Amino acid sequence: GQKKAKENLKVYIEAAKKRQEPLDHVLFYGPPGLGKTTLAGIIANEMGTHFKITSGPAIAKPGEMAAILNLYEYYNYSAASILMIAEYCMSIGKGKMAYIETVAKNWFELGICSYAEVEAEIIRQNEVMSFERQAMRTFGLDNKPTKKQKEYIQNWRNMGFSLEMLEIAYEKCMDSTNKLSFAYINKILESWSGKAILTPEQVDEEDKKHSAGRKKKSEKNKKTSYDLDEWERYALNFNPNKTMGGGKS
């Protein structure tokens, strides 16, 4: 039902493809039911790009529109990238435009600018949050981690420790202190990291060495104790006259 519009769009799309450039901005307007969204989907498909949908009420405030235009024009984010950043922020309960703009600017400073880079960073962030949630559950906690707890957990992940290793460290912490202590667990994991201990099997080997060392020390102390007992018996039975060969005068 939009023959003229389709013919014009065909010319625009073919010209953009020949130039190997993105299609210029296209604005469809009119009441609902005219096929505006359908045409937008066709353009995306023909250009082989992503298609994101939003609505006017979602960005009704003038300030929010200005922020979006700033990210688009000054920071050179594509519309798809801006929408993806906004969706990510909303998924973590941070849907205010000020937060979305801050995230986008921070990522820009880190060199995260293209659609692929934004997508990769969101995947990484989701993996980090998933690891944090699972680590907290491993420690028997249901609440969100504090800022300090997040730093600990992210540091452990960066050191290459799995959730299984965190669980082993947690059990050792409970055995030694009878309470959860992120600082104590951190000492255990830092010690393992310094010895390149990253698997449960390596922990078992280290425990065996430690146990053997304690046993050897215990045996040495026991032998020393026996020597002291012998010297004590000798002292009690010591007869100086007999030792010096003293006889009757």
Side-chain angles (χ1 to χ4, degrees), residues 13-125:
I13 291 170
E14 288 178 353
K17 284 182 175 180
K18 287 179 181 179
R19 295 194 306 270
Q20 295 184 342
E21 295 177 356
L23 186 66
D24 287 337
H25 298 310
V26 178
L27 176 65
F28 299 123
Y29 64 94
L34 293 182
K36 299 185 296 295
T37 303
T38 301
L39 287 172
I42 292 171
I43 292 173
N45 184 63
E46 289 295 321
M47 297 301 297
T49 187
H50 300 276
F51 179 49
K52 297 287 184 179
I53 299 175
T54 188
S55 60
I59 47 174
K61 297 179 181 178
E64 294 180 351
M65 180 60 74
I68 292 172
L69 290 173
N70 184 46
L71 294 177
Y72 182 81
E73 295 179 355
Y74 182 79
Y75 290 93
N76 204 30
Y77 278 111
S78 67
S81 295
I82 295 170
L83 286 171
M84 185 159 53
I85 294 171
E87 288 174 357
Y88 161 73
C89 293
M90 292 173 68
S91 72
I92 60 173
K94 305 284 187 178
K96 290 186 177 180
M97 192 62 219
Y99 184 86
I100 295 169
E101 189 176 14
T102 299
V103 169
K105 290 179 179 179
N106 288 341
W107 288 2
F108 177 84
E109 291 176 0
L110 294 172
I112 302 169
C113 305
S114 69
Y115 183 91
E117 290 166 343
V118 169
E119 187 175 40
E121 177 61 15
I122 289 173
I123 291 171
R124 190 191 73 81
Q125 291 282 351

Side-chain angles (χ1 to χ4, degrees), residues 123-139 145 149-167 182 189:
I123 291 171
R124 190 191 73 81
Q125 291 282 351
N126 286 332
E127 288 175 349
V128 168
M129 287 188 290
S130 176
F131 189 86
E132 288 175 356
R133 286 193 297 268
Q134 292 180 74
M136 294 294 281
R137 284 198 292 267
T138 296
F139 300 156
Q149 289 171 344
K150 279 188 174 186
E151 290 176 1
Y152 275 128
I153 295 171
Q154 289 177 18
N155 187 43
W156 300 336
R157 184 173 181 269
N158 292 337
M159 285 192 286
F161 287 113
S162 65
L163 290 166
E164 186 177 11
M165 289 294 285
L166 265 60
E167 184 175 6
F182 276 71
L189 294 173

Side-chain angles (χ1 to χ4, degrees), residues 190-223:
E190 283 186 339
S191 174
W192 288 348
S193 179
K195 299 174 183 177
I197 297 173
L198 296 172
T199 67
E201 292 76 18
Q202 290 175 316
V203 172
D204 289 340
E205 287 297 319
E206 179 68 12
D207 287 347
K208 288 176 183 177
K209 289 179 183 177
H210 190 62
S211 179
R214 281 201 311 246
K215 185 178 180 182
K216 188 175 181 180
K217 185 177 180 181
S218 177
E219 289 175 350
K220 184 178 179 181
N221 291 337
K222 190 175 182 182
K223 183 178 179 181

Side-chain angles (χ1 to χ4, degrees), residues 215-249:
K215 185 178 180 182
K216 188 175 181 180
K217 185 177 180 181
S218 177
E219 289 175 350
K220 184 178 179 181
N221 291 337
K222 190 175 182 182
K223 183 178 179 181
T224 302
S225 177
Y226 287 153
D227 291 342
L228 289 173
D229 290 344
E230 186 176 343
W231 275 105
E232 186 177 358
R233 286 195 300 271
Y234 177 79
L236 290 171
N237 296 320
F238 179 69
N239 187 335
N241 293 328
K242 189 175 182 180
T243 304
M244 296 173 65
K248 293 182 179 179
S249 55

